Amino acid sequence: MISKYVFGDPIDTEAVVADIEPEAGRPKFGSIDSTDGFRFTYTMGEDDIVYGLGENVRGINKRGYEYVSYCSDEPHQYEDVKSLYGAHNFIIVEGRDNFGLFIDYPSRLTFDIGFTDKDILNIHTDGCDLVLYIICGESSYDIVKQFRRMIGRSYIAPKFAFGFGQSRWGYKTKEDFLEVVNHHRSAHVPLDMIYMDIDYMDNFKDFTVNGKEFEDFPSFVKDMKENHIHLVPIIDAGVKVEKGYEVYEEGVENGYFCKREDGSDFVGTVWPGETHFPDFLNPKAREWFGDKYKVLIDAGIDGFWNDMNEPAIFHTPEGLDEICDVMQEFIDDRNSHHVFEMTRMVTELANNPKDYRSMYHNINGKMVCHDLVHNLYGYNMTRAAGEAFERICPGERILMFSRSSYVGMHRYAGIWTGDNLSFWSHLLMNLKMLPSLNMVGLMYTGADIGGFGSNASRDLVLRWLALGVFTPLMRNHSADGTRKQEFFRFENEEDFRAVINVRYRLLPYIYSEYMKAVLNDDMMFKPLGFVYGGDEIAKRIEDQLMVGDDIMIAPVYEQNAVGRVVYIPENMKKVVFKADGTVEIKDITQGFNYVKLALNEVMLFIREGHCIPVGDAVEWVDDLDYSSIRMIGYPNARYDLYNDDGIHKDYDNPNNIETLVME
Ligand code: MIG
């Protein structure tokens, strides 16, 4: 049961696709004050759990902290951060009452979930033009499914995108890419994708390639494809200001860039230097920018990642001027208080709220300040591309994921979770974020394995890969200047091969569970409490997940650990993929158990009465041999295996499902 309440005159975000009649009264839960801004308050029961918020820091249970929905280019995903790249204003309160709440509002919104007062949920914003949805259901899981139906079916990635991908900010030359391919192929470590970060472009100009390095780009793409490698280029939101550059010229000519208040094109500095920001909220600009992807698709590209679309701004000319003024004062009077001011101004230069307030969109002919619609920017950049793919290649799937997002973007793409660090705590944070991402329909998702910033150790990469085996996006990515973390930078490459092989052996299961979850508006990653709702211990577990309908995972996420304690909510089969390719299957009983796991092993637990398909390892997705599948788990259990060609869109064909029985 979904109730919709409209306050003021909200902007249509197109987050929701279902037609729901607004109600006149006030919601059954909480109280609302909309006299000055908007405030929703609710007194939580002492044991209530709060789920949700999509991409954000901290736990599966979000209680005890304050979060802010305001899409942010945040390179430090520390515990005290309140906003990441996405804004997903959906939460579920579970306990005394049971309800879901979605606030469709595209600017800054604060969720104080028992932080200021331990039992008070307080959601507030300065604006008061918004839509509030309250969803009642028999369980949190049921509420998620209703919400997912209301926001529409999730984007579906091509099957190759379920292979392993290698990335690093810093690959520049053909040789850099070939080095990766050659190491993988000669060491027989599976690989399906290599990501092209900003250095493949000509001076960081979108939809160009560096002609010196990639003289005949289409033939390079083709050679890679023949080696079963998909190249996946990055696209940044900002368009370089440069006379003669087609995208710039067309954008200026047609008024497709965001403006300043005086009507001139807004300027911000990002990688290419001075850039303009396409006005993705203008449908015509969206169509125009989306069509630009065609030049790369025509070159044979079938995957993209959209970056810097919060949008990230290093600085504006106005911001620099202000600093220069203070510097001048310092030069004039040498008063040291200017030094502190300058330091503060320099640290606040990037992604400055003031800049977001001086940027404007054209929404149906009306000038709308960017700050009021900030959270829709990355969503609509990615939507521009998604809608264009429907025109350019309507029958085929294109891989795409974005950094910034808002509820609704899940219909066009997945996300990766941005600039994490090579911290053990970020491996765990990766796990905790997966269910909340699924709650808002973001199904094709994963984190930078090994960590983006900071230096990764060998054991961290291996343990992180063992979690990544289960995430649809399985990509090792790292920042320029950090320690290189491809498998061939470390000792004993066979350990990496052993772990990545398990991904390919489980791929029939992972792909099948992903597809079934998307097609049924279901979650692929569930907190234990969604399955074992009556189990008070299971409900509080923050470091294990249910993956699909049949298994549970419990990754090792501590340095030097040789195993971990696992909570087993019902009798299960413990499965360990050994480094020598054998699979060890043992019964494990309900309760807390200590389990051992070597660095080159992957572990999972099969639920009582269930079974899963396991195939042979291969080096790329196209080579998967479904006839090698055998079932492991409980005798006589049945499994509905979803499979299709992974390229086309014949999703709802009943022949895509085959029921397999465990002997
Ligand atoms: O300012 O393109 O999150 O994955 O490697 C950094 C360079 C810009 C941020 C992305 C990261 C990417 C990096 N980008």
Side-chain angles (χ1 to χ4, degrees):
M1 233 272 291
I2 305 177
S3 313
K4 171 178 179 180
Y5 306 90
V6 178
F7 297 86
D9 181 18
I11 282 164
D12 185 6
T13 66
E14 295 178 71
V16 173
V17 295
D19 241 327
I20 303 165
E21 275 303 309
E23 305 198 7
R26 286 279 152 129
K28 164 155 140 215
F29 305 109
S31 60
I32 286 167
D33 179 355
S34 57
T35 43
D36 177 24
F38 177 90
R39 191 173 290 272
F40 174 94
T41 42
Y42 171 81
T43 308
M44 301 179 284
E46 210 173 314
D47 297 325
D48 286 7
I49 292 176
V50 179
Y51 294 107
L53 291 182
E55 183 186 54
N56 220 313
V57 296
R58 300 227 175 190
I60 292 174
N61 183 352
K62 288 281 177 251
R63 206 166 160 161
Y65 197 55
E66 185 179 73
Y67 312 85
V68 176
S69 286
Y70 199 76
C71 298
S72 305
D73 167 21
E74 179 51 75
H76 310 105
Q77 305 188 356
Y78 300 149
E79 253 186 68
D80 62 351
V81 152
K82 294 181 181 177
S83 317
L84 295 177
Y85 320 85
H88 309 118
N89 308 330
F90 174 62
I91 58 167
I92 301 165
V93 177
E94 174 186 298
R96 224 171 29 196
D97 298 314
N98 251 306
F99 62 95
L101 174 151
F102 171 53
I103 298 190
D104 192 3
Y105 178 69
S107 191
R108 189 184 310 272
L109 182 66
T110 301
F111 288 80
D112 180 341
I113 311 180
F115 178 67
T116 303
D117 296 297
K118 73 177 179 47
D119 294 330
I120 305 293
L121 167 67
N122 181 345
I123 307 170
H124 56 94
T125 160
D126 292 342
C128 49
D129 300 304
L130 54 84
V131 186
L132 165 68
Y133 296 86
I134 300 282
I135 307 166
C136 297
E138 56 198 38
S139 64
S140 298
Y141 193 15
D142 172 51
I143 289 167
V144 170
K145 288 184 189 161
Q146 292 187 56
F147 179 65
R148 291 277 304 281
R149 278 195 290 276
M150 157 177 148
I151 59 173
R153 183 181 274 185
S154 296
Y155 156 83
I156 296 175
K159 204 197 272 180
F160 75 77
F162 290 78
F164 176 68
Q166 182 59 53
S167 183
R168 177 164 171 93
W169 174 14
Y171 296 160
K172 273 193 184 70
T173 63
K174 253 187 186 164
E175 288 63 43
D176 291 337
F177 292 93
L178 291 173
E179 181 187 20
V180 174
V181 179
N182 293 340
H183 273 288
H184 273 271
R185 292 299 180 238
S186 65
H188 304 290
V189 177
L191 182 70
D192 273 272
M193 284 157 289
I194 305 185
Y195 290 81
M196 306 186 91
D197 209 320
I198 45 176
D199 297 300
Y200 79 88
M201 292 184 239
D202 170 22
N203 277 304
F204 309 116
K205 283 183 289 198
D206 279 339
F207 313 113
T208 68
V209 291
N210 177 349
K212 263 207 285 231
E213 280 305 329
F214 305 100
E215 228 177 290
D216 183 357
F217 188 62
S219 81
F220 182 58
V221 176
K222 191 162 155 257
D223 290 350
M224 285 289 195
K225 277 247 173 90
E226 269 158 22
N227 220 332
H228 312 279
I229 306 285
H230 299 254
L231 289 172
V232 185
I234 197 170
I235 303 290
D236 279 6
V239 169
K240 182 173 175 64
V241 172
E242 187 185 280
K243 282 258 165 287
Y245 166 41
E246 183 192 277
V247 187
Y248 163 78
E249 295 286 357
E250 289 177 6
V252 170
E253 196 178 302
N254 295 296
Y256 288 157
F257 292 127
C258 290
K259 308 277 181 208
R260 298 193 179 100
E261 203 176 1
D262 66 7
S264 61
D265 288 324
F266 178 89
V267 175
T269 294
V270 204
W271 292 111
E274 294 205 328
T275 63
H276 289 329
F277 295 93
D279 184 357
F280 297 117
L281 301 186
N282 170 351
K284 281 208 185 114
R286 208 155 58 222
E287 194 181 328
W288 161 75
F289 191 85
D291 283 340
K292 295 289 168 209
Y293 284 75
K294 186 165 185 296
V295 67
L296 290 165
I297 293 176
D298 287 346
I301 293 297
D302 48 14
F304 299 92
W305 47 311
N306 290 340
D307 190 21
M308 307 299 270
N309 51 3
E310 294 71 26
I313 302 176
F314 296 163
H315 56 79
T316 54
E318 294 83 354
L320 281 189
D321 284 347
E322 283 175 22
I323 293 186
C324 290
D325 289 347
V326 180
M327 279 181 178
Q328 192 56 54
E329 284 172 43
F330 175 69
I331 291 166
D332 294 344
D333 66 13
R334 296 240 152 202
N335 184 332
S336 67
H337 85 256
H338 296 310
V339 176
F340 298 113
E341 207 183 339
M342 283 186 303
T343 313
R344 183 190 53 82
M345 287 173 91
V346 169
T347 56
E348 288 175 4
L349 208 48
N351 310 316
N352 192 314
K354 214 166 145 184
D355 293 332
Y356 293 136
R357 284 196 297 268
S358 52
M359 180 171 158
Y360 287 81
H361 295 271
N362 171 354
I363 304 184
N364 304 320
K366 226 173 89 192
M367 291 266 280
V368 177
C369 180
H370 173 79
D371 183 57
L372 295 175
V373 288
H374 175 73
N375 293 341
L376 301 179
Y377 194 78
Y379 158 26
N380 280 282
M381 173 191 183
T382 298
R383 177 179 169 193
E387 287 174 342
F389 300 161
E390 289 295 324
R391 296 189 294 273
I392 299 165
C393 43
E396 283 173 33
R397 307 183 213 175
I398 299 275
L399 166 61
M400 180 168 57
F401 51 88
S402 172
R403 194 169 73 174
S404 186
S405 60
Y406 183 78
V407 171
M409 201 198 75
H410 70 288
R411 298 192 297 270
Y412 304 97
I415 65 162
W416 95 101
T417 55
D419 300 347
N420 58 9
L421 292 146
S422 298
F423 289 0
W424 290 89
S425 59
H426 283 185
L427 194 177
L428 182 57
M429 185 168 68
N430 178 185
L431 176 140
K432 291 180 187 200
M433 240 188 255
L434 290 164
S436 55
L437 292 174
N438 279 191
M439 286 177 199
V440 294
L442 293 165
M443 303 297 287
Y444 186 80
T445 177
D448 288 352
I449 290 172
F452 176 75
S454 191
N455 297 325
S457 60
R458 177 180 185 273
D459 52 350
L460 177 67
V461 177
L462 279 166
R463 290 299 194 196
W464 210 323
L465 284 168
L467 166 62
V469 158
F470 300 96
T471 59
L473 167 63
M474 184 189 189
R475 179 178 80 144
N476 177 333
H477 179 50
S478 57
D480 201 9
T482 61
R483 178 182 184 183
K484 293 185 173 166
Q485 63 189 41
E486 297 92 348
F487 82 87
F488 49 88
R489 311 289 179 191
F490 300 109
E491 308 97 311
N492 298 83
E493 60 191 29
E494 65 278 9
D495 291 344
F496 292 84
R497 185 191 312 129
V499 174
I500 298 174
N501 273 348
V502 178
R503 163 60 162 228
Y504 286 73
R505 300 192 68 185
L506 285 173
L507 216 143
Y509 178 73
I510 305 222
Y511 183 67
S512 168
E513 290 305 303
Y514 165 86
M515 289 300 295
K516 288 188 288 183
V518 171
L519 298 177
N520 297 307
D521 298 321
D522 201 343
M523 298 165 72
M524 180 175 170
F525 296 100
K526 287 173 282 222
L528 267 55
F530 278 34
V531 176
Y532 305 100
D535 180 336
E536 290 305 320
I537 297 173
K539 268 168 66 175
R540 303 280 164 184
I541 299 286
E542 290 267 346
D543 59 357
Q544 305 175 200
L545 290 178
M546 308 307 295
V547 182
D549 282 334
D550 310 280
I551 66 171
M552 181 181 80
I553 58 167
V556 175
Y557 54 88
E558 266 164 327
Q559 187 146 38
N560 300 318
V562 293
R564 58 164 284 174
V565 173
V566 180
Y567 180 65
I568 303 293
E570 61 177 330
N571 291 342
M572 289 179 161
K573 298 261 185 216
K574 178 179 109 170
V575 179
V576 176
F577 290 84
K578 298 288 203 182
D580 64 4
T582 58
V583 186
E584 179 195 89
I585 305 173
K586 286 189 176 153
D587 287 309
I588 188 163
T589 50
Q590 196 278 334
F592 284 98
N593 289 263
Y594 182 82
V595 294
K596 287 191 131 185
L597 194 73
L599 278 175
N600 53 14
E601 295 173 341
V602 178
M603 176 172 61
L604 58 84
F605 301 86
I606 301 180
R607 294 178 61 190
E608 189 157 33
H610 292 243
C611 62
I612 62 165
V614 177
D616 288 343
V618 291
E619 288 183 46
W620 52 85
V621 169
D622 263 354
D623 212 24
L624 279 176
D625 175 11
Y626 275 66
S627 72
S628 77
I629 286 177
R630 67 188 181 95
M631 304 304 293
I632 60 169
Y634 288 84
N636 305 319
R638 300 161 80 82
Y639 179 74
D640 285 337
L641 178 74
Y642 178 100
N643 191 26
D644 60 15
D645 70 3
I647 299 167
H648 299 99
K649 299 182 176 175
D650 189 19
Y651 307 129
D652 297 299
N653 186 337
N655 294 332
N656 293 345
I657 294 200
E658 183 190 354
T659 302
L660 303 174
V661 183
M662 161 97 191
E663 309 263 294

